[in-house]
């Protein structure tokens, strides 16, 4: 799987949910933790800071802040309260979850991240990839700085670095596929994984080529 920014985050999340399915992830500028802006109820906290989309383009004298309509809420009395358990399962950087994922076939990870990314934390990404390394995952994190700008593949140091997805795939996919094919990974029979998350247990299973989710109270 491959993706840029939130797409890269979703690729990592897919590997967490079904590690037996995802052989490799090629990522550009994704966060190690879920982004508050896409939960939808960030506007309850601060409609400007946590807006999913902001622009001056519609009206030069009006700044427009937009958020997705969602059932999630910060109201603890609601059944849709976005609790710490619901946050934790969406994070990639959760050490106890990474240990569980490490017991399954290891996804290979390649990631590019700007040292001057204005939206996401490089330090969190460093910690995540160190945790992967400690668990013997095959990973590579490229920290891009000024000397790496070639104005063709890497154009700048802003979020995403202007990297064309086609060029990223062309550069990284062939050697990744070679590693995957040489490994000749055997079929993993137990296509189910459970993550304890505070007061909940999330279990993801594959049956008939479909992923299902079961959430149970501890």
């Amino acid at each position: 799987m491959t993706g840029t920014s939130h797409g890269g985050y979703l690729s990592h999340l897919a590997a967490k949910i079904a590690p037996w399915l995802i052989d490799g992830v090629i990522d550009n500028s994704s966060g190690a933790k879920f982004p508050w802006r896409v939960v939808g109820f960030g506007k309850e906290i601060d409609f400007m800071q946590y807006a999913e989309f902001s622009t001056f383009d519609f009206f030069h004298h009006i700044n427009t802040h937009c958020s997705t309509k969602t059932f999630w809420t910060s109201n603890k009395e609601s059944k849709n309260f976005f609790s710490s358990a619901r946050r934790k399962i969406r994070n990639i950087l959760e050490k106890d979850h990474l240990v569980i994922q490490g017991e399954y076939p290891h996804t290979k990870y390649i990631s590019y991240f700007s040292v001057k990314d204005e939206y996401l934390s490089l330090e969190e990404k460093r910690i995540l990839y160190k945790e992967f390394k400690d668990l013997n995952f095959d990973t590579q994190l490229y920290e891009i700085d000024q000397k790496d700008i070639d104005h063709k593949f890497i154009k700048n140091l802003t979020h995403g670095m202007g990297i064309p997805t086609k060029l990223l795939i062309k550069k990284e996919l062939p050697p990744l596929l070679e590693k995957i094919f040489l490994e000749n990974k055997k079929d993993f029979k137990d296509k189910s994984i459970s993550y304890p998350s505070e007061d909940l247990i999330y279990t993801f299973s594959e049956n008939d080529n479909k992923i299902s989710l079961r959430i149970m109270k501890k």
Side-chain angles (χ1 to χ4, degrees), residues 160-172:
M161 297 162 286
I163 296 177
T165 300
K166 286 185 178 180
L167 284 184
L168 179 62
I169 293 172
K170 184 178 180 180
K171 181 177 188 291
E172 295 294 350

Side-chain angles (χ1 to χ4, degrees), residues 143-158:
E143 297 184 17
I144 305 303
D145 61 22
Q146 190 67 36
K147 72 178 186 308
D148 300 308
I149 296 176
D150 59 4
H151 300 289
K152 181 181 178 182
F153 180 56
I154 298 169
K155 298 179 176 65
N156 53 61
L157 295 181
T158 61

Side-chain angles (χ1 to χ4, degrees), residues 28-194:
N28 173 15
S29 304
S30 74
K33 295 186 176 182
F34 85 92
W36 274 103
R37 286 181 174 85
V38 300
V39 179
F41 72 90
K43 59 184 178 294
E44 294 182 16
I45 303 169
D46 187 318
F47 79 94
M48 295 177 67
Q49 182 179 355
Y50 294 111
E52 291 178 53
F53 172 72
S54 301
T55 182
F56 278 107
D57 293 342
F58 300 139
F59 306 99
H60 292 297
H61 61 295
I62 299 175
N63 195 357
T64 305
H65 298 272
C66 305
S67 296
T68 304
K69 183 177 180 180
T70 177
F71 288 108
W72 292 123
T73 177
S74 57
N75 180 4
K76 293 184 178 181
E77 304 303 319
S78 170
K79 66 177 182 179
N80 297 317
F81 169 54
F82 198 71
S83 66
S84 56
R86 287 163 170 164
R87 294 196 297 271
K88 186 173 180 179
I89 193 62
R90 288 165 170 78
N91 285 335
I92 313 303
L93 178 53
E94 289 290 347
K95 187 170 183 177
D96 53 337
H97 288 183
L98 290 169
V99 170
I100 294 169
Q101 184 181 341
E103 297 172 357
Y104 288 72
H106 285 187
T107 303
K108 302 180 190 306
Y109 294 92
I110 300 166
S111 183
Y112 286 74
F113 206 101
S114 170
V115 296
K116 293 187 177 180
D117 193 293
E118 65 270 38
Y119 297 119
L120 301 172
S121 169
L122 173 58
E123 186 57 31
E124 287 180 353
K125 197 65 172 284
R126 285 172 176 163
I127 295 170
L128 171 62
Y129 272 62
K130 182 182 184 302
E131 294 289 349
F132 277 139
K133 286 282 189 184
D134 291 345
L135 292 166
N136 297 316
F137 281 78
D138 185 337
T139 67
Q140 179 64 59
L141 174 61
Y142 294 100
E143 297 184 17
I144 305 303
D145 61 22
Q146 190 67 36
K147 72 178 186 308
D148 300 308
I149 296 176
D150 59 4
H151 300 289
K152 181 181 178 182
F153 180 56
I154 298 169
K155 298 179 176 65
N156 53 61
L157 295 181
T158 61
H159 182 67
M161 297 162 286
I163 296 177
T165 300
K166 286 185 178 180
L167 284 184
L168 179 62
I169 293 172
K170 184 178 180 180
K171 181 177 188 291
E172 295 294 350
L173 184 58
L176 179 61
L177 288 176
E178 185 176 353
K179 281 185 178 182
I180 291 168
F181 291 146
L182 287 175
E183 190 177 62
N184 192 25
K185 186 168 61 178
K186 295 180 180 179
D187 186 40
F188 195 75
K189 302 298 182 184
D190 183 17
K191 296 181 179 181
S192 176
I193 189 167
S194 294

